[in-house]
Amino acid sequence: MRRLALLFLLLGAGCRPQPEAPPATLTTLPPPGYEVLDLSYAYDDSTIYWPTAEGFQLRIDHRGYTEAGYYYEANTFCTAEHGGTHIDAPVHFAEGKWSVDEIPLTQLMGPAVVIDVSEKALADRDYQIQVADFEAWEATHGPIPEGAIVLLRTGYGRFWPDRVRYMGTDARGPEAVAQLHFPGLHPDAARWLLENRRPKAVGIDTPSIDYGQSTRFETHQVLFAENVPAFENVAHLDRLPPRGALLIALPMKIRRGSGGPLRILALVPSEAS
């Protein structure tokens, strides 16, 4: 009985309300020594989309003063999932993998590394980033950390929103896809990243993680089979250091979406910006 009484006593103590922990103190945001950079393009009638997709549409529902005397604006917008700065969810090319709303938030934030291949890519519109490019970067900056968000800088962001210079054509429709010329990530390099560095996500400053002349989108297939999403049309990668930035990438939460508009924030050490 004494043991039973002691057990009830301990259980009772465990059920008693505990003293509240002191509230967490939020520091100034961004943290001291960091600045915030926006790596997303705004959506408007100049936003670049895949040739088979319609462009961004904004319908003004009301803009002006109401009969009651107060100012009021409201719009309706329409957009394809894959245009502007956007995310490709794994389900885009891998059956049964994450849709946009299923991607864990922790998968969309973390340390960023920027692999600069702009010299090669600007000299060859059809350049595919190689394993050797990652090895050369690591020889200078150290290993790409596991769980990083790997950003690929081709230099093509300087051409936005000129469709011809950015993606090789301003033609529209299915026949225009064959005219696309811009750099991307080689499937073998994507496999190397997955097997050796296990990134959370991969981003690029072109319309697609596969190069423009791809017909099988193998890099998409390789990454998405492992539930690694891609960020496309990422802006202002020239403003990020090779390493040291922190990234937060939040997509529109579309249920069963294969992609969607993406707002990417980078916290960059002030001395590096």
Side-chain angles (χ1 to χ4, degrees):
M1 282 295 292
R2 291 179 63 184
R3 289 183 181 178
L4 187 60
L6 180 60
L7 177 61
F8 279 120
L9 180 63
L10 291 174
L11 288 174
C15 295
R16 292 172 190 160
Q18 300 299 308
E20 290 188 7
T25 301
L26 292 177
T27 58
T28 303
L29 294 177
Y34 284 81
E35 69 168 313
V36 180
L37 297 182
D38 188 349
L39 304 186
S40 305
Y41 295 113
Y43 280 83
D44 58 23
D45 57 7
S46 70
T47 299
I48 294 175
Y49 283 77
W50 203 248
T52 54
E54 294 185 15
F56 181 78
Q57 301 170 51
L58 184 72
R59 185 189 73 211
I60 299 173
D61 297 327
H62 191 279
R63 183 172 297 174
Y65 283 89
T66 67
E67 293 181 355
Y70 58 84
Y71 186 80
Y72 177 69
E73 281 195 22
N75 308 302
T76 297
F77 68 87
C78 180
T79 179
E81 292 177 325
H82 302 278
T85 304
H86 69 280
I87 190 171
D88 278 5
V91 76
H92 188 34
F93 277 86
E95 185 178 6
K97 299 301 182 179
W98 288 328
S99 56
V100 170
D101 60 305
E102 294 171 332
I103 301 173
L105 290 177
T106 52
Q107 192 83 13
L108 303 172
M109 57 182 70
V113 299
V114 180
I115 314 298
D116 186 357
V117 297
S118 55
E119 184 175 350
K120 294 178 180 178
L122 290 168
D124 178 6
R125 294 190 66 90
D126 296 324
Y127 185 71
Q128 295 189 73
I129 298 162
Q130 306 290 316
V131 173
D133 293 312
F134 294 129
E135 293 175 336
W137 187 92
E138 291 192 335
T140 301
H141 303 289
I144 297 169
E146 182 175 332
I149 296 175
V150 177
L151 301 174
L152 308 174
R153 181 188 171 202
T154 70
Y156 278 63
R158 69 187 65 183
F159 302 135
W160 182 277
D162 185 326
R163 293 176 62 90
V164 173
R165 299 180 72 192
Y166 186 73
M167 62 192 309
T169 182
D170 62 356
R172 306 296 179 99
E175 66 284 351
V177 174
Q179 303 174 36
L180 294 172
H181 291 277
F182 53 80
L185 176 63
H186 195 284
D188 290 343
R191 292 186 187 94
W192 183 90
L193 273 180
L194 293 175
E195 293 170 3
N196 297 281
R197 299 297 179 263
R198 301 178 62 84
K200 287 185 174 182
V202 180
I204 194 167
D205 59 350
T206 68
S208 172
I209 201 72
D210 275 286
Y211 83 129
Q213 285 292 289
S214 175
T215 58
R216 292 180 51 80
F217 303 99
E218 292 177 80
T219 297
H220 281 82
Q221 295 185 55
V222 168
L223 293 176
F224 296 174
E226 299 299 324
N227 261 335
V228 175
F231 309 155
E232 296 171 337
N233 296 322
V234 181
H236 311 309
L237 289 185
D238 58 316
R239 299 184 63 187
L240 293 187
R243 64 188 307 158
L246 301 173
L247 218 68
I248 301 173
L250 298 180
M252 180 183 290
K253 193 173 182 180
I254 303 171
R255 191 175 301 280
R256 294 303 307 158
S258 72
L262 183 67
R263 192 68 180 268
I264 310 177
L265 304 180
L267 292 172
V268 183
S270 299
E271 64 273 10
S273 58

